[in-house]
DNA sequence: CCAGCTTCATTCGAAATCGAAGATAGCGGC
DNA sequence: GCCGCTATCTTCGATTTCGAATGAAGCTGG
C-alpha cells in the first residue's frame, strides 16, 4: 500500500522488485487489496519491451484525508485521496496569533467546510495533517517555544484536534512539511534535500536518506545563526544579529515601515520588488545574501542533492539569485558539484502537500488497512 | 548475524523482538548458524524475572578482519574477530605523504605482519577496512581532491588493495569512521551523532538515524567555513580565513614555529599544553573557540544527540572547554537541551574501530554467510 | 518449599511465501 | 506475418515462517 501510495509501485512486477517479495505473493496480496476496495487497476502502462504492466493505484473511493497549512496570516487547506492527489483545495483567512483555542476550533470548521465543498462527504475521513509555523515536538504533537505564536507554548494541538474531530491527527513544523512535500512531489529518487522557507519567519526542513530528519525534535533551525550585517538588530531570542532579525519577511517589513512604506505581509514585499521599487529590491537582495551566507556552511556540511527555496520571499527573483550567488561563490566545488538550487516546484502548496503525505503515511501504516481487509 | 554482531541481539528471544520474526523461526535459523560454526552459545545472561537467556555471540574462530586507520604520520592497525572485538592492535610509522603506491604496499605488509603477531594465521581473513585522512568517494573507493595528500587524487585505493591482498576492502574518510566507531562503541541507541576530528586537519562525520550520512559523498566538510579571527590566513583551498587555516593542528604548529617553537605534530602541541606553556594554551583555546563558532549553527541545524570531539587536539582540555563554552553560549536552548558534548570514548582507536565495524557490516551482508552455511 | 508469575526456548500443525515453470501479451526484425 | 525476445502476471507444489501451546528454568513471596 505504501509503495503504491508513494507512486513508486505502479504495477505488480514493480512492487515485487521494490518490496523484495516473490511476484506470486505480490499478486495474491494485490488481489486481496483490490477485493477489499483499497486498490484498483488503472489501465495499462507503457511496455518496457515485453507485456504491458497493469497499472495499480489506490482506490479513490476508499477514503480521504484533510491537509492544512497554517500560516501566520492564513490557512491553506485541501482534501486528498489516498494516492495523495488533491481533490479540492483553497486558501482561507485566519491569524495564528488569535491563539490556540480559536485556531483549533477554526481548523475544525474549515475542515468540515472543505470536505463539504470537495463533495466527498460520503467517503470516510481517515486523517488530518496540519503544518504549523513553529517548532513541534513530534512525540507529543505539541508546539514548543514558538517565537511568533504567543500563547501556543506546550499547547497540545494534535490531541485537541483529535478529540474535536475524532480522527487520526499529525502535526508538524511547516518547513519540515515543505521539505517532505517537495521531496515527494518534485524530486523523486532524491536522497538528501534541504528546504529553506523564508516567509514571515525563516525555517529549514531536512530530508536525510529519503526520510524527514527531526534530530531531537528541533532540527532545521537556521533562524538564529549570527550573520555579518551592516546595521545591528536584536532578535526575539535575545541575541543580536540573528539571520531572522535581518532577513525574514517580518524583519524586512519592519525596516521598510521605518522608511515610510506601508507593508504588513511578505506578499506585499514581493509585489514591491516586482513593481521594480529599487529600495525594496536592494533590501530583498541583501536578505538573500545573508541567507546564502548562513546556508553555505550547512550545504558543505550536509551535502544535499537539492536545495529548495520556498516561502513568500522565494517568489522574489533577486532574493533567489542572491542566495544562489552566495552559495556558488563560497561553497566547496565538491559540495556544489551536482547540487540543484531551485525554487519550490509545488510553490505555495508545498507544505500542504507535505502534510497530506505524512498523514497518509500514518494512515497506511495504521491498523485501518488490516481492519478494512478483515471486514470484507 | 548483523544483529548479533552489533551487540544488539544477545539471545534468541531478543533477536525475535528486534527482527520481528517469530521466536520459532529465530530458533531454527540460530541452530543452523551454530552448526555452520558462525555463531556460538556463550553461557547464560542475567534473568529479567524469568528463565535466563542463553547468550549468543559470533564464533571467534569463524574469521577475522583487519582494520587500519591511516593517519598523516602513522598507521594504526588491528585484527578484529567477527564480533568486532579487537584481538590485537598496534601503531606503526608511516607518512601518508609518501604517496599512494608506497602506502598501499606498506598497508599490505603491515596487514600480514599484524595478522602474524595476532596469531590468527589459521583463520580466514574476510575483509580489510581502511580509514584515510581525506575525502573518499564511497562508490568508487577513490580519494578525491585531498588537501594534505599530494599525488592521491583519484587514486583507487580500494581496488589496488583488493588486488594486492585478494580480500573485500572498504575505504572511508577518517572522520566518518570516527563517527561510526564512537556511535557503535560509545553511544548505543543514539540516533543522531556528530563526530568532529581535529588533528592535523579538521573533519566531521555524521550519523543520521543511526546510519552514516555521506550526502553526495562529501558530507561533513567543515574545514573551509569562514571564521572571524584576529589575524588573516589563507587556506590551501584559495579562500581566506577558513577554519582549517586557523584551528587545525597543522595551522597551529605553523604559527608556533614562526614564534620559535619546534613543533611538527599535533601530539607535541598537546604535550606543550599539558606542560602548561601559556602561549600554546592560549592558542589552543582560541582554536577551540573558532571550532565552536563553526559548530554552533551546525548543532542548531542538525540537532544531534551527541557531539563527539576527537583527534589529537581533543586531548587538550582547554580546547574541549572552549568548544563547549562556545556551543552552550550561542546555541538555542532547544538544541542544547539533552545534547551531550564529549571527547571520544574510544580515544585514538575510534577511527580504527569504525573501520572494523563497517567492513564487518559488509562481510556479514555478503554472500560469504550463505556460502558458509551451504558448505556445511 | 511450593504456588504463581515471568521470561526463554522449542514443538508441531496451519498458513503464508517462495520459486520455477507456464501462460499472456507486446515489441521488433526479417 | 512469423519467430524470437522481453516483460508481466499466474499457477502450483515445495519450503519457510508463523503462532499458539508446551516445556524449561528462574524469581518472588507467603
Amino acid at each position: 500500500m505504501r509503495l503504491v501510495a508513494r507512486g513508486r509501485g505502479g504495477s505488480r512486477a514493480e512492487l515485487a522488485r521494490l518490496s523484495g517479495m516473490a511476484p506470486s505473493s505480490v499478486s495474491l496480496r494485490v488481489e486481496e487489496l483490490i477485493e477489499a476496495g483499497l486498490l484498483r487497476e488503472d489501465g495499462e502502462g507503457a511496455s518496457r519491451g515485453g507485456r504491458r504492466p497493469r497499472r495499480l493505484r489506490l482506490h479513490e473511493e476508499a477514503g480521504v484525508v484533510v491537509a492544512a497549512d497554517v500560516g501566520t496570516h492564513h490557512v491553506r487547506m485541501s482534501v486528498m485521496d489516498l494516492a495523495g492527489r488533491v481533490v479540492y483545495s483553497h486558501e482561507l483567512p485566519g491569524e495564528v496569533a488569535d491563539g490556540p483555542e480559536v485556531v483549533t476550533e477554526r481548523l475544525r470548521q474549515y475542515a468540515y467546510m472543505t470536505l463539504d465543498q470537495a463533495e466527498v462527504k460520503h467517503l470516510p475521513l481517515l486523517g488530518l495533517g496540519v503544518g504549523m509555523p513553529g517548532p513541534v515536538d513530534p512525540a507529543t504533537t505539541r508546539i514548543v517555544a514558538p517565537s511568533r505564536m504567543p500563547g501556543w507554548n506546550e499547547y497540545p494541538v494534535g490531541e485537541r484536534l483529535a478529540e474535536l474531530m475524532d480522527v487520526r491527527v499529525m502535526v508538524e513544523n511547516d518547513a519540515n512539511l515543505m521539505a517532505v512535500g517537495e521531496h515527494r512531489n518534485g524530486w523523486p529518487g532524491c536522497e538528501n534535500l534541504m528546504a529553506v522557507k523564508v516567509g514571515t519567519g525563516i525555517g529549514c526542513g531536512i530530508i536525510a536518506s529519503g526520510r524527514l530528519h527531526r534530530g531531537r525534535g528541533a532540527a532545521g533551525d537556521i533562524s538564529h545563526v549570527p550573520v555579518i550585517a551592516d546595521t545591528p538588530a536584536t532578535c526575539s531570542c535575545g541575541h543580536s544579529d540573528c539571520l531572522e532579525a535581518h532577513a525574514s519577511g517580518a524583519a524586512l517589513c519592519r525596516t521598510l515601515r521605518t522608511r515610510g512604506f506601508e507593508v504588513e505581509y511578505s506578499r506585499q514585499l514581493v509585489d514591491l520588488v516586482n513593481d521594480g521599487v529599487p529600495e525594496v529590491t536592494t533590501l530583498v537582495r541583501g536578505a538573500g545574501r545573508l541567507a546564502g551566507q548562513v546556508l553555505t556552511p550547512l550545504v558543505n556540511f550536509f551535502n544535499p542533492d537539492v536545495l529548495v527555496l520556498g516561502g513568500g520571499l522565494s517568489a522574489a527573483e533577486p532574493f533567489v539569485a542572491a542566495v544562489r550567488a552566495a552559495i556558488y561563490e563560497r561553497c566547496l566545488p565538491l559540495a556544489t558539484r551536482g547540487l540543484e538550487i531551485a525554487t519550490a516546484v509545488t510553490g505555495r502548496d508545498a507544505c500542504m502537500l507535505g502534510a497530506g503525505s505524512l498523514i497518509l503515511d500514518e494512515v497506511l501504516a495504521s491498523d485501518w488497512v488490516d481492519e478494512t481487509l478483515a471486514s470484507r
Side-chain angles (χ1 to χ4, degrees), chain A residues 56 58 72 113 155 196 242 298 313 373:
Chain A
L56 297 171
L58 294 191
T72 317
M113 204 172 96
Y155 187 81
V196 179
C242 290
L298 300 177
L313 283 192
L373 265 177

Side-chain angles (χ1 to χ4, degrees), chain A residues 211-235:
Chain A
R211 285 157 41 191
L212 180 60
H213 172 83
R214 292 193 176 92
R216 298 181 63 81
D221 202 306
I222 62 169
S223 49
H224 303 288
V225 176
V227 292
I228 304 164
D230 308 329
T231 52
T234 302
C235 179

Side-chain angles (χ1 to χ4, degrees), chain A residues 69-139:
Chain A
D69 169 22
V70 178
T72 317
H73 308 298
H74 64 262
V75 177
R76 293 174 67 78
M77 196 175 261
S78 69
V79 172
M80 296 188 194
D81 65 20
L82 284 192
R85 258 180 285 264
V86 176
V87 177
Y88 179 83
S89 129
H90 55 178
E91 182 170 324
L92 299 156
E95 298 285 321
V96 76
D98 291 340
E101 302 291 344
V102 175
V103 172
T104 44
E105 173 55 23
R106 185 188 288 149
L107 281 175
R108 188 183 70 82
Q109 286 175 17
Y110 279 180
Y112 290 131
M113 204 172 96
T114 310
L115 284 167
D116 200 22
Q117 291 176 22
E119 298 178 355
V120 289
K121 283 248 165 162
H122 58 294
L123 301 180
L125 174 61
L126 300 172
L128 171 66
V130 183
M132 301 291 297
V136 174
D137 183 338

Side-chain angles (χ1 to χ4, degrees), chain A residues 41-332:
Chain A
E41 295 195 333
D42 180 34
E44 298 192 326
S47 166
R48 299 197 307 151
R51 175 174 172 174
R52 285 199 287 242
R54 279 146 74 187
R55 270 206 309 261
L56 297 171
R57 52 186 288 187
L58 294 191
H59 202 302
E60 48 285 89
E61 305 270 294
V64 293
V65 296
V66 167
D69 169 22
V70 178
T72 317
H73 308 298
H74 64 262
V75 177
R76 293 174 67 78
M77 196 175 261
S78 69
V79 172
M80 296 188 194
D81 65 20
L82 284 192
R85 258 180 285 264
V86 176
V87 177
Y88 179 83
S89 129
H90 55 178
E91 182 170 324
L92 299 156
E95 298 285 321
V96 76
D98 291 340
E101 302 291 344
V102 175
V103 172
T104 44
E105 173 55 23
R106 185 188 288 149
L107 281 175
R108 188 183 70 82
Q109 286 175 17
Y110 279 180
Y112 290 131
M113 204 172 96
T114 310
L115 284 167
D116 200 22
Q117 291 176 22
E119 298 178 355
V120 289
K121 283 248 165 162
H122 58 294
L123 301 180
L125 174 61
L126 300 172
L128 171 66
V130 183
M132 301 291 297
V136 174
D137 183 338
T140 61
T141 71
R142 288 172 182 226
I143 307 285
V144 279
S147 58
R148 274 180 322 285
M149 296 166 62
W152 281 83
N153 194 27
E154 290 288 333
Y155 187 81
V157 209
E159 285 167 42
R160 280 297 285 145
L161 281 168
E163 279 168 33
L164 280 172
M165 299 183 58
D166 193 30
V167 287
R168 211 179 309 273
V169 176
M170 188 267 342
V171 183
E172 184 54 85
N173 167 265
D174 58 350
N176 284 351
L177 290 181
M178 192 176 115
V180 172
E182 281 292 298
H183 178 242
R184 299 279 180 89
N185 297 98
W187 303 94
C190 157
E191 284 285 288
N192 302 297
L193 177 148
M194 285 169 60
V196 179
K197 186 172 192 237
V198 185
T200 309
I202 296 180
C204 177
I206 308 168
I207 305 287
S209 303
R211 285 157 41 191
L212 180 60
H213 172 83
R214 292 193 176 92
R216 298 181 63 81
D221 202 306
I222 62 169
S223 49
H224 303 288
V225 176
V227 292
I228 304 164
D230 308 329
T231 52
T234 302
C235 179
S236 59
C237 74
H239 284 286
S240 59
D241 292 324
C242 290
L243 176 63
E244 180 155 288
H246 283 286
S248 67
L252 295 183
C253 286
R254 207 181 311 124
T255 303
L256 284 176
R257 280 200 298 273
T258 66
R259 298 189 194 169
F261 288 88
E262 281 190 16
V263 280
E264 194 79 33
Y265 305 140
S266 315
R267 210 175 291 187
Q268 296 168 297
L269 272 177
V270 176
D271 290 340
L272 288 171
V273 171
N274 289 338
D275 288 348
V277 182
E279 197 172 356
V280 182
T281 305
T282 304
L283 200 69
V284 166
R285 183 175 290 123
R289 211 185 51 245
L290 293 178
Q293 182 183 317
V294 167
L295 288 172
T296 299
L298 300 177
V299 167
N300 275 340
F301 172 79
F302 186 65
N303 194 210
D305 303 305
V306 181
L307 173 63
V308 173
L309 301 174
L313 283 192
S314 73
E317 194 43 54
F319 178 84
V320 177
V323 173
R324 271 216 185 85
I327 288 178
Y328 281 119
E329 185 199 330
R330 186 80 209 212
C331 268
L332 297 170

